[in-house]
Every structure is written in C-alpha cells, then in structure tokens.
Amino acid sequence: DGKVNQPTEACDDGNLVDGDGCSKDCKTEGPKLPLPGQLVITEFMPDPAGVDDAGEWFEVYNATTATINLKGLVVADDSMYGSADIFTVETDLVVAGQSRIVFATNDDSTVNGGVAADYNYKGRGVNLDNTADDIYLGISAGAGRYTTIDSVSYNELGGWPVATGATLELKDTALSSSSNDQASNWCLATGRINGVGSDLGSPGAVSSGC
C-alpha cells in the first residue's frame, strides 16, 4: 500500500497523525485514530447473487492487540478519496484487538443476505463494482489530504478470484496490510452467510474457504 501524506503534529502523543484528538499541550485527547497497517481489509462482497446490491459489505480486522475506536475513519472506493465516493465514520465504532468488524451498505439482515452489520453506510457513495474496484481506509490529514491505513485494489483480469454470490476472503495466515495486496492471498468463500440465504461469506469470522 502507498502510505501517503503523513503529517507532523504539534506535539508527540505517540500518534503522529493530525486530527487524532491530541490537544496542543497533549493533556486532553479523544479517541486515537488508527495508524497505517493497524487495520486490514479481510473480506468483501462485490457482487451478491441472492440479494441485490443491498448485500454489498466488507470486513475490517484490527491487527493490533489494543481496542481501536474507528470514529473519524474515512472509507473511499478510489485512491483520490473523491467526494462522490467517500464516507466518514461519524459515531463511536469500537473494535477489539485482533477482532473483525463489518461495514454494510444495508444493516437489515432480512434484505442484505443475512449479514450482521456493525456499521451501515447506505447511501454514502461507496459502491463496489462487480469485477474490479478499490477499497481505501484512511484518515484526514487536513486540506483535502488523507493518510491511507489500508487499501485493496481487486481486478478479475489481474487474477483476483471474483465470482457472483461469494465474497473474497483473505487467508487467515495473511492478515496484514501488505499481504492483502496480493491476489494469491485471497480465495472465494465456501460457507453460507450465517447459514441463511444463498450467498457465501463469513462476516465477522475467520475465512470459510481458505
């Protein structure tokens, strides 16, 4: 991943990203935002079959042993973080260390294929193309700039195992922000989502297919 636009903040609280809640005197601080590599995109559903695009979702893994609050995290589906394809997590969204959290374009499990979602981004502009697209996780660095925490760029023509009705799952032996750049570390899910419907995936859990 290209980790870009890393700024220098006025004080050193152990997190060198502006906007993490650090006060100028480092005495008052809100939730710390994640650093590059601390979050990993581990699964995504670009083309559901049993439901329409209301069944799109993706999963994020906290690669640290500490609890992280994702409030302030920016999600985009292009590298320029364009205004039409981006949303910001505006509420507290806590993920425990070495745990997974699910973002869905619809959090109603009766219409999204049985997915138990932790965050609903319906109508927020991020849509996954069926065969080739990007997912970017970042934080604002001010002045329209962003620091990328993790990203995945998938392309069926580039060897990514894309198929209708199944998620792409990252191997459980490759849970890092560099390993998920490689198509060979991904496979198609084999288990039904929460045992219901026809689409395959393992939201919030270890991979079912690799």
Side-chain angles (χ1 to χ4, degrees), residues 42-45 57 161 163-170 172 186-203 205-210:
T42 48
E43 186 172 6
F44 57 95
M45 171 64 87
W57 56 273
T164 299
T167 64
L168 283 77
E169 297 178 325
L170 184 64
D172 294 321
W186 294 82
C187 70
L188 289 174
T190 58
R192 290 191 303 159
I193 294 174
N194 291 326
V196 301
S198 59
D199 288 335
L200 307 178
S202 55
V206 297
S207 67
S208 63
C210 48

Side-chain angles (χ1 to χ4, degrees), residues 1 41 43-48 53 56-58 76-78 121 126-136 151-164 166-169 180-184 186-188:
D1 293 315
I41 299 163
E43 186 172 6
F44 57 95
M45 171 64 87
D47 188 17
D53 284 346
E56 288 189 2
W57 56 273
F58 64 92
D77 64 12
D78 71 78
Y121 61 92
V126 171
N127 300 287
L128 302 180
D129 289 344
N130 293 348
T131 59
D133 209 342
D134 311 293
I135 306 172
Y136 279 81
S151 66
V152 165
S153 297
Y154 64 93
N155 191 324
E156 185 177 23
L157 296 179
W160 288 74
V162 180
T164 299
T167 64
L168 283 77
E169 297 178 325
N180 70 353
D181 294 331
Q182 304 172 37
S184 59
W186 294 82
C187 70
L188 289 174

Side-chain angles (χ1 to χ4, degrees), residues 43-136:
E43 186 172 6
F44 57 95
M45 171 64 87
D47 188 17
V51 293
D52 58 18
D53 284 346
E56 288 189 2
W57 56 273
F58 64 92
E59 176 189 87
V60 175
Y61 175 71
N62 176 359
T64 77
T65 57
T67 297
I68 296 178
N69 190 339
L70 302 185
K71 184 177 181 180
L73 183 72
V74 176
V75 179
D77 64 12
D78 71 78
S79 61
M80 300 302 293
Y81 293 87
S83 60
D85 304 294
I86 192 171
F87 70 84
T88 300
V89 176
E90 297 173 341
T91 58
D92 287 331
L93 184 63
V94 175
V95 55
Q98 299 181 336
S99 297
R100 303 162 194 255
I101 200 162
V102 177
F103 293 78
T105 192
N106 191 309
D107 62 358
D108 185 345
S109 61
T110 65
V111 299
N112 70 10
V115 177
D118 299 292
Y119 190 85
N120 179 4
Y121 61 92
K122 182 178 181 180
R124 305 289 294 278
V126 171
N127 300 287
L128 302 180
D129 289 344
N130 293 348
T131 59
D133 209 342
D134 311 293
I135 306 172
Y136 279 81

